[in-house]
Amino acid sequence: MTTMTFDAERVERTDKAVALLAAPGTTRILNELLDFGPLLRHQQGSPFPEFGSRRVQYYFTSLRQRGLVEVQLVDDLPAFVASEAAVDLGDVYDALNSWAKAHLPHTAELPYVARVHETLMLLGEPFTVPILAALANGPVCSEIVELLIRPCVHSVTARAAVAEHLPRLATRGLIDRADQDLDTITLTEAGRALLTPLAAIDSWGAEHAHIPVGEQRRAVIPAMAHAILPSPARQWRTR
């Protein structure tokens, strides 16, 4: 994304991939399978006491439907395993983790999986991906941002999306609107750095275009690392 001209189709695909990866339970469960390998089906709830059995079942069903988790026989017993597409998320997760370590100081003591999830939650806020992509090639005015993201907004006007969400992105420290007179908007250092994990998600989405993605836009909600923290009994990476 850092070197491309604005491509609405590509941006929308990346935005939907972000929504897919930011879905509840996804980061937590996939990292469990990637770190520890197959999980016997009858033991699916044991590593996730924070979710509850019904929610765990729902998450695994959803992940299987989206092609991120498969069921295979392990010692003649059915077990959940990460699919090839999920395994390929390793570089994506590492990029998300690196950005959080550099730009989200409050995540310093959190496990790897929590930092990844926090970054995904930030990217998953409405219109964050299209606006960042619109600014990827340098400072522009708000009217240009509106023009670029227009094909990526559906339920609201581009002007309304920009008016509502530029202040939020400034509060998040991702954009700078210091020159109000010229209406010039530019990415901050953190915003520019966030293009790296976005590019990784873009590449992953292009390589795994068969993975179904949702159409629903996300509501703006705060990141909730506590909701996906691993059980204390598990020895998680703190990379």
Side-chain angles (χ1 to χ4, degrees), residues 106-130:
H106 70 279
T107 67
E109 302 303 320
L110 295 180
Y112 176 92
V113 63
R115 289 195 297 267
V116 169
H117 183 74
E118 289 256 2
T119 310
L120 282 170
M121 291 292 287
L122 179 62
L123 286 172
E125 293 177 353
F127 309 112
T128 294
V129 172

Side-chain angles (χ1 to χ4, degrees), residues 33 37-42 60 64 67-87:
L33 298 179
L39 176 64
L40 293 178
R41 192 168 184 173
H42 70 274
F60 270 103
R64 290 182 65 191
L68 295 174
V69 168
E70 300 172 350
V71 174
Q72 298 179 4
L73 290 179
V74 176
D75 296 330
D76 296 325
L77 293 173
F80 293 110
V81 299
S83 70
E84 180 182 350
V87 172

Side-chain angles (χ1 to χ4, degrees), residues 1-2 128-140 166 169 173-177 184-195 198:
M1 277 185 140
T2 55
T128 294
V129 172
I131 292 173
L132 291 180
L135 296 169
N137 290 318
V140 295
L166 284 182
L169 292 175
L174 301 180
I175 66 169
D176 184 6
R177 303 186 70 185
T184 300
I185 306 162
T186 187
L187 292 176
T188 62
E189 179 185 355
R192 289 192 300 272
L194 197 51
L195 296 176
L198 267 184

Side-chain angles (χ1 to χ4, degrees), residues 195-211:
L195 296 176
T196 297
L198 267 184
I201 294 172
D202 173 40
S203 297
W204 179 84
E207 185 176 353
H208 299 285
H210 63 285
I211 299 294

Side-chain angles (χ1 to χ4, degrees), residues 19-31:
L20 171 77
L21 298 177
T26 298
T27 305
R28 175 75 169 85
I29 289 173
L30 291 184
N31 273 273

Side-chain angles (χ1 to χ4, degrees), residues 16 20 32 35 44 52 54 72 81 87 118-119 128 130 132 135-137 141 150 152 162 167 216 220 223 239:
K16 290 176 181 178
L20 171 77
E32 174 78 21
D35 277 2
Q44 66 178 357
R54 288 188 178 180
Q72 298 179 4
V81 299
V87 172
E118 289 256 2
T119 310
T128 294
L132 291 180
L135 296 169
N137 290 318
C141 67
R150 189 172 296 161
C152 303
V162 167
Q216 187 173 358
V220 178
R239 296 174 291 186

